[in-house]
Every structure is written in C-alpha cells, then in structure tokens.
Amino acid sequence: MKNFASVLTGFVLALTVSVGVYAAEDCSPWAKESIDKAISEGIVPETLQSDYTSNITRKEFCRLAVQTYIKKTGYTTQEYLQTPFTDIDDDYVTTAYMLEIVSGKGNEKFDPDSAITRQEAAVMLNNLAEVSGVDNNKTNTEKFVDEDHFASWAKDAIYKISAVKNGGTAVMSGTGSGKFSPWMNYTREQAIATMYRLYECSSIPVLIPQKDKNIYRVSRDYNVKLKTSGYLEYILCIDCNTKTAKRLFEFDQRSSETNIVAISGDWIYCICQMTSGEKYVYKIKTDGTEDYVLTPAAHNIYIGHKYIYYVPSVARNIVVRTDLNGKNPITVDYSKIHTYGKYPCCYIKGDKNDNVYIYVQLFGGNYPLYNDIPEDYPVLYEYDYTTEKAQPIDLYTNTDPLIYGTLCDGKYKYYPHREIHYAYRNMGHDELRRCNIDGTDDIAFDDLFLTYDSYMVCSNCMENYICMYKDRLYMAEDLDTALCVTELTCDGVNRRFYPLGEDSYDKYTNYRIKFLGVIDNKLCYYCVNRFDNIERVYSYDMDSRETKELSWTK
C-alpha cells in the first residue's frame, strides 16, 4: 500500500519548480490554454504534464480526478487505505473508488493500464461533478446521432455531463457532426481540458474530512444546573499537540442532547435537541470565531454529503432540503404522496446523490404494527429531486450504508445497523455490519466467522461508539456479561479488552463506553453512567496493547 501523503507532498514540491518546464508545448493548439491554466491551478500531476496527445489510462485518470477534487473542495486524503483490487495498490485509485468516481471491472480487478473510452470518461466526469457539488441535474436535449452505440450504463451520464457548462462551454461535448464517438479513446489533453472546465464550474459546499488533528466532543458542565432542566452543554476542543483542552462553544441553555454529526474542513456540524424536543442544526467554526443556526425548529434532521434535510416541527408531513449553509430550500409535501392515514410524519433515513429515503409514520388512522398496514401499501419512499417523483420501496430496505459518516477503509464500509425484531421497526439490537463501497456484499460481522460469535454495538449512533485508526477498527460493545472494546484488524485478527472487568455487566448495568479519540497512538475512551453522570477515563496503547485508567471526573 502506497502512502498517499508522501506521494502528494512530492507532487506539490515538484509542481513549485516545474510549472514552467512542463508548459503545454506538445499538445494540440485548442488544448494549450486549458492545460496551462490547469497546471497553474495545481490539478495536473507532474506525471501527466507531457505526451498530451497520448491516450490516458484508467490509473492516470484517477490521479487527475482526485487531484481536481482535492483542489476544488479542500478534501484531505485518508491514510492507511486498503486496496479493493488485486491488480493495483494505489491510493489515488482507491480514493477515486471510495468517492465513487470510478468503479472496478469485476472480480476485484481494476485494469489500471488500459486506455479509457469517451463514454467511460463521461461517466467518471459526471460522478466527479456529483461528489464535488456541481449541478449535474440538467440533461442535454440535443441528441447525438450515434447514441445507438452508447452503452446502457453510460447514456444518462453522457447527456448529463454534456449539459454541465462553465460559462457557455460544456464540460464535455461531442466530436463534431453531431457525434459523441463513445468508443473512441480519451487522450490526456482531452482529460485535462474537461477536468479544468469542471474545476471552474460553480458548486455548492460538500462535506470533507476534518482539517486539523484536534478532537472535538460535546460535553456537559455538571456544576451548572439549568433552570430548564439538565446541564450546560458545550463543545470541548482537545489539542493533541499541546495536550490541552478548552471550551470552544456553549449551546443554548434549552439544549438537552447535542451530537456532532460531521466535522468538515474547519466547520463543525451539530444537531442540538432542546428540552422541548425540537431540534436545530448548528454550524460552528473549529476556532470558535463563528457560529450559525441553519434550520428552524425541526422534528427530524439528517445531514448528508451535500445537503441538510429536516422535517419542520410545525409540519411533519414536509421534508425541506437545503445546502450545507442552510440556503436554497426545496420543500416536498408527503401528504400529497402518502395518503394512507390522516397525518403522515416523515423521518429521513439517508440519501444518495439527489435521492433521499423517507420513512413515513402514520398518525390519525395510526398503524404502529406492520401487520396492520396493507401488504401492498408502502411507507418507505425514495424521492428523486431531479424528476420530482417518489418511488415506494421495500419496507425492509437497509439505508444505513448510505448515511454520511459511515467508516470506510477504502475497501469496505463499516456501520451499525438496528436489526428489526417482531413487528415493530424500532425494536431490536444494534449489530456491526460491513459492505463494499457500492453497498454490495452486505453482511453482519456475526456471519463472518471471526474470533467471536457476536459483535453488538452499544448504540446505532456512529459518534463515540465506532472509530477507525490506521488499519484497525474499534467498537464499543455491550455484551451480556460485560462492557468491552473490540479491536479488529484488516487481516481478521480480533482482540477484546474489558475496562471494568470481564464480569462487569451486573455492577455497571447503566454504563456505556464511548470513544474520545486517538492521542499519541493511544485510543482514549471513557465509561459513562447515564444516571449518576460519572465518567471513568482510560487510554489503550496501540503498540503495547496496555490499558491504563487516566482519571475520574464528575
């Protein structure tokens, strides 16, 4: 596995001294200006700054696409990625696959050195536009005369990406005489020129990895008892370099339960629930200098890769979608879609691209049991904002892998899933599951025949209960006999350790383990009593595998 950071550092250093050397002199005249600008913007890797008329390979296109995504969005790359392919181990390829810009060829093959065709390039460019926040919802209405030669998997992407424009110029257009030439090979200069046009397109913000190495957690000041009930909530910032902590931001004194949903670049996104039950989205700068409330009072909120969705408290049949700044709202009224029962109440279950998954609970003619709902009547919908149509889908569809923030090592996604019991949707336990990046081969850890028979997550909330560090996955488990932390490595080796003892369940019935973060190669976590508000803090040394109690706090 190649270290992405070192490759990228070398590219940046080389770029600073080689822009003039690699000026586009051996390219076609029409491409020179775009290539020169793309190099100056830093989106062209040094290895692609020559032989512009030669065909670009799948591996080279991935490098170009990922570098464009980094420069456009501020994305920072993940270390210790596991390759999903057997014929290449390249972090650019793995990142492009993880972002769903590219896919494999099947049978765990990527075919890195083969040239790409124009229709393959169209699909990859369209996928890059999607994840970059570029509007690709329009479709080119001018038909290409050779569309009968388009592959079925490429047709939609060809007409979408040819409708995406930077000014008046399409990101990718035809080859002349009304043709697109889908099977023609794509050259380096064509790839760079189209990538630069896409880079220059306007876009909405997207969630990206955290910029700094600090740890941010919601904490409570148990010395400040609020009049409304509960305790003062605030964001605690732990500087891993100086080993110091500071109170970054205090929430509204009406807050009762706040969770950090995402840290994107230098912004923290939180969902704050008030004592009244209403929820709000807070957006807070990691240095504490700016903070915004992005939504009105909401009954249900979901934050995805590009959008915030919320169900207003005053109208629970409505779902509103905004961008990550709380702007450009789009409203969908599900009472016009779902007419079974008088008062539908919506819950956002996940999203993918421009589709959102909505579970509709029924009130007024309330049917809490699945058995009471007619078999042919749906309560789970997939709504497409492009076509403005809602498609009923199977009630038991698992949308958990679509949720933003699902842990990913480049090869697999890991997520907690609430297993449905009996006839009620919300009764059950939380199990750890794993699937491929595209959601295929979804399987519970219990069925992987690993070291232990059962893997039960303390909660179906990602924050605090599951974390990944280097090539290891850690999960906080609530077993029948004890609370424990389970360590899983990519080679299938498992290990468990018990902070409160191997027979601690009866004595610490109301305790839960939560992860704080990684400091100096040590996994820091704490045990919290939900009733007495007492926390017991531990560190686990990744190298020596020693557990140490750090302190008691109240």
Side-chain angles (χ1 to χ4, degrees):
M1 176 174 58
K2 297 180 180 178
N3 188 299
F4 192 105
S6 62
V7 174
L8 182 59
T9 301
F11 159 65
V12 173
L13 291 175
L15 180 63
T16 60
V17 299
S18 59
V19 169
V21 175
Y22 287 94
E25 301 298 339
D26 59 344
C27 65
S28 301
W30 65 266
K32 185 179 187 308
E33 182 179 358
S34 293
I35 293 174
D36 286 341
K37 288 181 177 179
I39 292 175
S40 67
E41 291 291 341
I43 68 173
V44 186
E46 181 186 358
T47 55
L48 296 181
Q49 295 179 17
S50 61
D51 300 326
Y52 294 108
T53 57
S54 63
N55 294 333
I56 193 167
T57 66
R58 287 169 55 81
K59 178 177 69 175
E60 292 169 343
F61 195 91
C62 287
R63 294 203 164 202
L64 182 62
V66 170
Q67 187 59 31
T68 301
Y69 186 73
I70 289 171
K71 297 294 292 185
K72 186 169 183 62
T73 66
Y75 181 85
T76 53
T77 54
Q78 182 175 322
E79 296 180 316
Y80 305 103
L81 292 173
Q82 309 301 314
T83 179
F85 305 110
T86 58
D87 56 351
I88 186 172
D89 186 358
D90 181 276
D91 283 351
Y92 283 92
V93 172
T94 301
T95 300
Y97 176 75
M98 189 169 65
L99 292 170
E100 299 189 64
I101 297 171
V102 299
S103 57
K105 288 286 192 177
N107 296 320
E108 299 184 334
K109 301 292 185 182
F110 185 74
D111 197 10
D113 297 320
S114 68
I116 67 171
T117 63
R118 285 178 51 81
Q119 62 181 352
E120 288 176 325
V123 171
M124 297 176 190
L125 285 165
N126 189 60
N127 291 341
L128 179 59
E130 183 72 56
V131 299
S132 301
V134 174
D135 183 3
N136 64 337
N137 290 326
K138 297 177 182 178
T139 300
N140 187 0
T141 56
E142 297 182 10
K143 300 297 183 181
F144 291 104
V145 297
D146 54 354
E147 75 168 11
D148 289 343
H149 299 287
F150 294 175
S152 59
W153 45 263
K155 185 174 181 179
D156 288 344
I158 290 172
Y159 281 112
K160 278 189 172 184
I161 198 62
S162 61
V164 176
K165 295 185 178 182
N166 171 31
T169 305
V171 168
M172 188 175 187
S173 55
T175 55
S177 302
K179 294 182 179 181
F180 185 79
S181 306
W183 294 98
M184 183 182 292
N185 286 332
Y186 213 48
T187 64
R188 287 186 175 185
E189 63 183 7
Q190 289 172 331
I192 295 171
T194 52
M195 205 68 73
Y196 176 71
R197 292 176 203 145
L198 182 59
Y199 171 77
E200 286 290 297
C201 287
S202 60
S203 58
I204 61 175
V206 298
L207 292 183
I208 58 175
Q210 178 180 336
K211 281 187 178 179
D212 61 33
K213 300 298 184 181
N214 295 338
I215 295 173
Y216 299 90
R217 285 292 181 265
V218 175
S219 189
R220 290 180 177 178
D221 189 336
Y222 296 120
N223 295 316
V224 180
K225 186 71 168 66
L226 304 180
K227 295 180 180 179
T228 52
S229 75
Y231 299 90
L232 179 66
E233 291 190 313
Y234 61 93
I235 291 181
L236 181 70
C237 172
I238 303 172
D239 189 316
C240 295
N241 293 321
T242 63
K243 311 298 188 302
T244 58
K246 66 178 180 179
R247 189 174 300 198
L248 186 72
F249 176 83
E250 293 184 355
F251 289 96
D252 189 302
Q253 293 195 10
R254 295 175 297 134
S255 68
S256 64
E257 183 179 354
T258 302
N259 290 298
I260 295 176
V261 178
I263 303 176
S264 176
D266 50 12
W267 289 98
I268 304 169
Y269 287 85
C270 301
I271 295 180
C272 180
Q273 180 172 318
M274 303 301 175
T275 53
S276 60
E278 297 174 336
K279 299 178 181 179
Y280 298 85
V281 174
Y282 279 75
K283 181 182 178 184
I284 304 158
K285 200 75 175 287
T286 52
D287 61 5
T289 58
E290 298 178 57
D291 60 90
Y292 305 94
V293 179
L294 301 184
T295 63
H299 168 66
N300 180 237
I301 296 173
Y302 172 77
I303 300 178
H305 177 64
K306 296 189 295 182
Y307 303 112
I308 296 171
Y309 304 86
Y310 65 90
V311 177
S313 294
V314 296
R316 299 185 181 185
N317 58 298
I318 286 175
V319 175
V320 181
R321 188 188 81 175
T322 71
D323 61 28
L324 293 178
N325 291 324
K327 307 296 184 182
N328 304 313
I330 299 175
T331 300
V332 178
D333 184 352
Y334 275 80
S335 65
K336 297 179 180 179
I337 298 171
H338 189 96
T339 57
Y340 196 73
K342 296 180 181 178
Y343 309 109
C345 180
C346 298
Y347 294 86
I348 303 105
K349 306 300 291 185
D351 75 330
K352 183 176 178 61
N353 299 335
D354 277 283
N355 291 18
V356 64
Y357 297 84
I358 304 295
Y359 171 64
V360 182
Q361 186 174 353
L362 306 172
F363 292 98
N366 192 7
Y367 297 89
L369 289 173
Y370 284 146
N371 297 346
D372 293 338
I373 301 174
E375 292 183 0
D376 60 346
Y377 203 91
V379 292
L380 186 62
Y381 291 92
E382 180 181 3
Y383 183 82
D384 188 330
Y385 280 89
T386 303
T387 62
E388 299 183 353
K389 293 181 179 180
Q391 178 68 34
I393 58 179
D394 187 271
L395 186 63
Y396 291 89
T397 299
N398 182 13
T399 58
D400 287 343
L402 303 176
I403 295 176
Y404 180 83
T406 299
L407 294 179
C408 179
D409 64 4
K411 185 175 184 179
Y412 298 115
K413 287 182 178 180
Y414 304 91
Y415 66 95
H417 172 66
R418 173 143 292 188
E419 185 73 13
I420 298 172
H421 277 186
Y422 311 112
Y424 293 94
R425 186 170 186 82
N426 292 321
M427 291 184 63
H429 61 265
D430 301 318
E431 63 179 7
L432 184 65
R433 297 186 69 87
R434 185 189 80 183
C435 66
N436 294 333
I437 300 298
D438 59 4
T440 58
D441 295 337
D442 193 345
I443 188 171
F445 266 62
D446 293 5
D447 300 326
L448 289 174
F449 303 104
L450 299 176
T451 307
Y452 305 105
D453 294 332
S454 177
Y455 296 86
M456 307 301 299
V457 191
C458 281
S459 170
N460 66 345
C461 175
M462 288 293 293
E463 184 195 14
N464 296 335
Y465 294 102
I466 302 178
C467 71
M468 183 175 289
Y469 183 66
K470 295 186 178 179
D471 60 346
R472 304 173 189 174
L473 182 74
Y474 295 89
M475 56 184 293
E477 292 200 82
D478 187 359
L479 304 180
D480 293 336
T481 57
L483 296 175
C484 76
V485 175
T486 301
E487 177 188 70
L488 304 98
T489 60
C490 61
D491 57 6
V493 176
N494 298 178
R495 181 177 180 272
R496 277 180 175 159
F497 44 98
Y498 305 84
L500 303 177
E502 295 191 30
D503 56 351
S504 57
Y505 188 81
D506 290 337
K507 185 177 180 181
Y508 299 100
T509 302
N510 298 313
Y511 272 65
R512 290 292 182 270
I513 294 175
K514 294 185 178 182
F515 296 125
L516 185 63
V518 178
I519 303 176
D520 287 343
N521 206 42
K522 295 179 176 64
L523 175 67
C524 296
Y525 57 96
Y526 55 96
C527 301
V528 55
N529 185 309
R530 294 177 296 172
F531 296 100
D532 297 335
N533 298 317
I534 298 174
E535 298 182 356
R536 202 169 184 175
V537 184
Y538 297 86
S539 70
Y540 170 71
D541 192 299
M542 306 282 196
D543 296 323
S544 66
R545 295 194 168 184
E546 293 180 351
T547 300
K548 179 181 179 181
E549 183 174 352
L550 299 181
S551 67
W552 279 90
T553 61
K554 290 189 178 181

